[in-house]
Amino acid sequence: MDEVFKALADSSRRRLLDSLNARNGQSLRELCSELDMARQSVSKHLALLEEANLVTTVRRGREKLHYLNAEPINAIADRWISRYDRARAHALADLKHALESTTMSTTGSNDSTAFVYTTYIKTTPEKLWQALTDPAFTRRYWGLEFVTDWKPGSVMAWEGHGLTGPDPEQVVLECDPYRKLSYTWHTFTPGFAKAVEVDDEAFAKISAEKRSKVSFDIEPQGETVKLTVVHDGFEPGSTVLAMIHDGWAALLSSLKTLLETGEELPDPAKQDA
């Protein structure tokens, strides 16, 4: 974690992170213009932030887009904040967000159209692939399973969290074993809304949004595997994107813990019950 604290110690790098937090998925040119910094300086700072895994990148055609990566911060929280205390910290953060919402609405908000998250897991590409596709694994850290033959174009049935059965629009987009997996996101059903306690107003909003997609890029790095998750296809201001931000971070932390220790993370809701 030393490289994370070193990266955060510089005010210019913190400004870059603040800029990405306000508007994720920026190019080098956009970051330079917004922060009034020389291109060379921004490039050097971004390189250090990437080395610390605080920033991850995705190529879109000829452009390289930069995204804030929450994984190192989650790792710090896992190390020093207990599950009991973290739930209270989240509650205080939600209160702060609610109190500041009026100000935020006038000063601008995150208009990103993608969620990007990179983590490094001490495992093999084969085991990580199994954890992403095998129901015996997905049930443990995700609470659901996929029924499909994992061939591009094949329909997927999501089973769990109030989801059941196939849908012709839930399909495998790309399947390159041990390297890349991509599929469309599930349909939002009344059963899902009830299972995850989504109210009627939020359900109406997410049901009206266009279908998004998620991809998992797997890259071996010595004794670890670099996993980059890109969930995109959202419109600016997407309710679904706002909902999945916290969900993906917790889910991928549990996946990492399961592969490295054999045990998934405990459910904070069940601990506090």
Side-chain angles (χ1 to χ4, degrees), residues 44-261:
K44 289 181 177 179
H45 286 309
L46 285 172
L48 285 169
L49 290 170
E50 284 190 60
E51 288 178 11
N53 201 25
L54 287 162
V55 167
T56 191
T57 60
V58 173
R59 287 205 170 272
R60 287 285 186 270
R62 299 175 63 182
E63 272 195 321
K64 185 178 180 182
L65 303 183
H66 300 80
Y67 290 86
L68 188 66
N69 187 34
E71 195 275 338
I73 306 303
N74 285 331
I76 291 172
D78 284 340
R79 181 168 178 175
W80 282 301
I81 303 177
S82 72
R83 293 283 156 193
Y84 181 85
D85 290 333
R86 189 187 293 195
R88 275 76 191 157
H90 276 307
L92 291 173
D94 289 343
L95 173 61
K96 179 176 182 291
H97 176 78
L99 293 173
E100 293 177 345
S101 59
T102 303
T103 302
M104 289 175 66
S105 66
T106 59
T107 59
S109 60
N110 192 334
D111 62 354
S112 173
T113 58
F115 170 85
V116 181
Y117 192 99
T118 298
T119 186
Y120 293 83
I121 306 174
K122 192 172 182 180
T123 188
T124 64
E126 293 79 8
K127 289 181 179 178
L128 177 53
W129 184 266
Q130 184 181 17
L132 293 172
T133 59
D134 187 336
F137 277 87
T138 58
R139 279 195 298 266
R140 292 187 64 186
Y141 69 89
W142 205 333
L144 54 76
E145 61 183 73
F146 306 109
V147 181
T148 182
D149 60 11
W150 294 113
K151 295 178 180 178
S154 291
V155 172
M156 298 175 63
W158 293 53
E159 303 285 349
H161 297 309
L163 300 168
T164 180
D167 184 297
E169 294 188 34
Q170 292 171 180
V171 297
V172 179
L173 298 174
E174 187 174 353
C175 185
D176 186 357
Y178 320 131
R179 294 182 62 187
K180 185 168 185 175
L181 179 66
S182 179
Y183 47 81
T184 58
W185 201 237
H186 66 77
T187 301
F188 295 106
T189 65
F192 168 81
K194 182 178 180 181
V196 300
E197 299 180 345
V198 173
D199 62 37
D200 292 342
E201 181 180 357
F203 178 61
K205 288 181 179 179
I206 63 178
S207 298
E209 290 191 26
K210 69 177 185 179
R211 190 178 299 271
S212 59
K213 62 183 176 66
V214 63
S215 64
F216 304 85
D217 286 283
I218 300 170
E219 182 182 346
Q221 304 239 328
E223 294 184 354
T224 65
V225 176
K226 178 182 178 182
L227 172 64
T228 300
V229 178
V230 179
H231 193 154
D232 58 6
F234 300 102
E235 297 290 345
S238 165
T239 299
V240 178
L241 177 58
M243 289 174 62
I244 63 98
H245 263 279
D246 286 341
W248 266 126
L251 179 69
L252 293 170
S253 292
S254 191
L255 168 64
K256 175 181 170 72
T257 301
L258 177 61
L259 285 169
E260 292 183 340
T261 70

